[in-house]
Amino acid sequence: MLRRLTIRDFVIVDRLELEFEPGFGTLTGETGAGKSILLDALGLALGDRGDATTVRGGCEKADIVAEFDLPADGPLPAWLVESDLPADDGLVLLRRVVDSGGRSRAWINGVPVTLTQLREAGEWLADIHGQHAHHALLRADAQRALLDATAGASAQAAEVAERYRAWQKLVRQREAAEHDAASTERQRALLAWQVEELERLAFRPEEWADLDAEQRRLGHAAGLIEGSAEALAAMADGEVSVSALLGHVLARVEGMAALDPGLDEVRALLASAQIQIDEAVHGLRRYHERLDLDPQRLQEVEQRIAAINDVARKHRVQPEELPELLARWREELATLEAQADPARLAAAEAEARDAWMKAARALSALRRPAAERLSREVSEAMQTLAMAGGRFEVALVEREQGGSHGLEDVEFRVAANPSQPLRPLAKVASGGELSRIGLAIQVMTSRDAAVPTLIFDEVDVGIGGAVAERVGQLLQRLGRDRQVLCVTHLPQVAACADWQWNIAKRERGGEVLSAVTPLDAEARVEEVARMLGGLEITETTRGHAAEMLARARERAGP
């Protein structure tokens, strides 16, 4: 659940530190006081998009920190470990900063993260239903996504879509092969000839450096032979050589060092030099003996280099790129050969279709019981939302050919009263009916969600009286299993809450700011009375408010 929300310089909030309670809580206050602003700030911490307009005027940045309990189950704990974002003391800290230039930064548990990571973590912690969320239910994609989420089938739906795309790609390949068979054959023949040419060349990437080194050595063999012989004469083979002179000096110094130990270091250096010169002489002699004038081999190397250069120029690449070019052509040739094989293409297409069909049938099997249950529960809720005799149905309409979303379309249908037939939600629901049905759907689907915190932002717009009281009871019941926060203008809803905050505007230093006040039992009576009676609060209004709160407490039980 949400434990704490800290807000700095966000819209009309300068500094707020809010500690939340479990159960069902409401945020109430005059219109424009900033109730929804608090939820906007929380949404920012959960990964919503933000811009410079969220920063309070004259400030450098808006800073939001939300502290949640780490859910004991679900994917979030493992995801945090895998992402190297471990939670301390069973808490998850989400932080978001937006500066006055519109730039945004995010952290999870003190570690910088991307906005995508912040949003992913937020989806497992809280779910915000906006005041116009019921309008989204008019869209077919939203209806389908809601049913799949309720059925726990979102991952299966994604798999179906992926397998459908793979199948359709193979369908297009087969159709293109059938349509362009002659062109494909010409391309295949050309590629086959080019691949054969490069394979005959048998060029390896490391060969180019070896050929270059060998060409330089063979081309300068005479000079290398002459130079190495001259060096050997100077170092060891001549009448006066470096090795002989150094040996004479070393013998002389060794005799002197026997008389004066102060020359030991000089003697050691000369001895080391003698050893290194002897090793150099041996190495140079071996090199000299291997050198040979081989005009025939030089010609072979130069012919090989010329052949490689000719092929590289022909195909407009560097010699070192020829092996990569060969690999690419082989891959393209394999594709063209596959396209030229109708039986192979048809088999691959059939295999992909079978994989899609298997996944789609599994998705349908998950959707059917969820659709029946959601239809029943929303219909039951409608009976208490001023739509007695109304019915709701999640229809699964079979598609002849299927599609990326499975074997059926999902359609929400409703009959607001017993005399009406079931028809698509978008065509029959009035504004008030849509609001009530949408709220019932949101409450019923949220009850099964794994998200521990549910937030409703004025979703009760357009209702009142006994219906509003029933909405409050639904949210109160939902609050027994989840933490539920609701921004509301309805006293019937506010009275059903376990706790209540008042949000109001305060003027300070010529600036209007939003302030939050937790309400005790007495203050709740005053606030609910205000919501009932407007500007003038009478004792009668207070009595009515106290009665509403008492009745709600009785329903909640101990």
Side-chain angles (χ1 to χ4, degrees):
M1 59 170 275
L2 176 63
R3 286 289 183 183
R4 184 176 288 104
L5 181 65
T6 303
I7 306 174
R8 302 284 187 277
D9 298 324
F10 181 80
V11 191
I12 61 171
V13 176
D14 60 342
R15 181 185 180 94
L16 280 177
E17 292 187 8
L18 307 174
E19 293 192 7
F20 293 80
E21 300 177 32
F24 172 35
T26 55
L27 311 180
T28 61
E30 297 287 356
T31 300
K35 299 183 296 299
S36 294
I37 288 176
L38 298 184
L39 300 191
D40 291 340
L42 178 59
L44 200 66
L46 294 170
D48 288 351
R49 293 193 176 277
D51 54 42
T53 60
T54 63
V55 182
R56 189 165 67 93
C59 298
E60 295 181 358
K61 62 183 180 181
D63 193 338
I64 316 294
V65 180
E67 178 183 308
F68 290 86
D69 288 327
L70 178 65
D73 50 10
L76 182 58
W79 182 85
L80 290 172
V81 173
E82 292 170 3
S83 304
D84 199 20
L85 302 166
D88 293 330
D89 300 325
L91 298 176
V92 182
L93 292 178
L94 307 183
R95 184 185 178 198
R96 183 81 174 280
V97 171
V98 179
D99 66 25
S100 57
R103 291 181 296 274
S104 172
R105 291 174 293 162
W107 293 262
I108 297 177
N109 296 332
V111 180
V113 296
T114 65
L115 186 57
T116 299
Q117 288 176 301
L118 186 70
R119 189 179 298 117
E120 189 171 359
E123 288 174 351
W124 288 316
L125 291 168
D127 189 6
I128 299 179
H129 297 270
Q131 55 183 298
H132 302 296
H134 53 274
H135 290 294
L137 296 175
L138 301 178
R139 303 196 319 267
D141 61 332
Q143 294 176 8
R144 183 179 58 252
L146 183 61
L147 175 63
D148 288 341
T150 302
S154 297
Q156 186 71 29
E159 181 185 353
V160 168
E162 182 179 351
R163 292 190 181 279
Y164 184 82
R165 288 191 293 268
W167 170 34
Q168 292 303 304
K169 179 180 179 181
L170 289 170
V171 170
R172 290 191 295 271
Q173 288 180 358
R174 175 185 55 77
E175 292 174 346
E178 293 172 352
H179 184 267
D180 302 323
S183 174
T184 299
E185 178 55 29
R186 288 193 297 271
Q187 294 178 41
R188 190 200 65 77
L190 175 60
L191 263 180
W193 180 84
Q194 291 172 324
V195 167
E196 183 181 357
E197 180 186 34
L198 288 188
E199 288 178 340
R200 284 198 309 270
L201 185 65
F203 176 68
R204 295 172 290 105
E206 62 274 12
E207 183 183 2
W208 190 245
D210 295 342
L211 287 171
D212 183 59
E214 189 175 4
Q215 183 193 39
R216 287 199 306 272
R217 186 174 68 254
L218 292 170
H220 298 85
L224 293 172
I225 291 172
E226 180 182 351
S228 59
E230 182 179 339
L232 281 170
M235 294 179 66
D237 296 342
E239 293 181 2
V240 180
S241 67
V242 172
S243 180
L245 286 172
L246 184 57
H248 175 73
V249 172
L250 177 58
R252 180 66 174 160
V253 171
E254 284 178 339
M256 297 166 63
L259 300 173
D260 184 357
L263 290 170
D264 284 345
E265 184 178 353
V266 174
R267 179 194 59 75
L269 290 172
L270 289 171
S272 176
Q274 181 72 59
I275 293 171
Q276 293 184 37
I277 286 177
D278 289 344
E279 290 179 354
V281 168
H282 290 311
L284 189 57
R285 198 180 303 282
R286 288 193 300 271
Y287 174 78
H288 179 73
E289 291 170 355
R290 288 198 309 269
L291 284 173
D292 188 16
L293 292 173
D294 190 350
Q296 183 178 351
R297 176 57 185 164
L298 176 61
Q299 183 180 10
E300 291 173 357
V301 169
E302 289 179 340
Q303 287 175 347
R304 176 65 172 165
I305 290 174
I308 294 170
N309 274 322
D310 286 345
V311 174
R313 280 195 299 270
K314 179 179 179 179
H315 298 297
R316 299 180 180 179
V317 296
Q318 295 298 316
E320 300 90 336
E321 298 172 352
L322 286 172
E324 181 182 347
L325 181 63
L326 175 59
R328 187 166 70 248
W329 279 348
R330 281 172 172 163
E331 184 177 344
E332 292 176 6
L333 180 60
T335 301
L336 288 176
E337 288 176 342
Q339 291 177 355
D341 185 350
R344 182 178 176 182
L345 281 174
E349 180 184 334
E351 184 179 351
R353 183 187 182 281
D354 289 344
W356 166 78
M357 179 63 74
K358 181 179 179 181
R361 285 172 175 162
L363 177 60
S364 297
L366 293 173
R367 281 173 171 170
R368 280 191 291 271
E372 292 173 2
R373 179 166 55 85
L374 187 58
S375 299
R376 182 178 62 256
E377 291 179 346
V378 174
S379 294
E380 290 174 356
M382 288 172 63
Q383 310 312 306
T384 60
L385 295 175
M387 288 182 286
R391 290 166 294 149
F392 177 81
E393 179 185 73
V394 180
L396 301 181
V397 184
E398 184 177 349
R399 299 184 62 174
E400 184 177 351
Q401 300 297 328
S404 61
H405 303 304
L407 298 173
E408 62 275 315
D409 290 324
V410 176
E411 185 177 77
F412 286 3
R413 298 173 178 175
V414 66
N417 58 67
S419 63
Q420 292 180 341
L422 287 164
R423 295 180 59 193
L425 180 64
K427 295 183 178 180
V428 299
S430 66
E433 290 170 343
L434 178 60
S435 177
R436 281 174 275 158
I437 295 169
L439 180 59
I441 293 171
Q442 291 170 44
V443 171
M444 295 306 169
T445 54
S446 295
R447 187 179 61 190
D448 299 323
V451 179
T453 297
L454 304 171
I455 300 160
F456 296 89
D457 184 8
E458 297 192 27
V459 294
D460 49 15
V461 171
I463 61 177
V467 175
E469 186 173 356
R470 178 55 183 159
V471 168
Q473 294 171 14
L474 286 174
L475 294 174
Q476 184 184 53
R477 188 173 64 188
L478 189 59
R480 295 171 186 169
D481 302 316
R482 301 277 194 278
Q483 181 188 45
V484 178
L485 310 179
C486 181
V487 171
T488 184
H489 288 284
L490 298 177
Q492 297 92 333
V493 173
C496 291
D498 300 312
W499 51 273
Q500 184 175 351
W501 290 350
N502 173 258
I503 290 85
K505 287 182 179 179
R506 301 284 188 270
E507 186 173 346
R508 190 177 65 197
E511 185 178 14
V512 176
L513 300 172
S514 185
V516 178
T517 305
L519 303 180
D520 58 19
E522 184 177 346
R524 285 192 69 184
V525 171
E526 289 295 313
E527 175 64 5
V528 172
R530 180 198 64 78
M531 299 171 75
L532 283 168
L535 293 176
E536 184 178 353
I537 302 175
T538 65
E539 289 303 318
T540 301
T541 309
R542 289 188 180 93
H544 187 191
E547 182 183 354
M548 290 176 63
L549 287 162
R551 196 164 58 242
R553 284 195 299 271
E554 290 175 3
R555 281 195 303 267

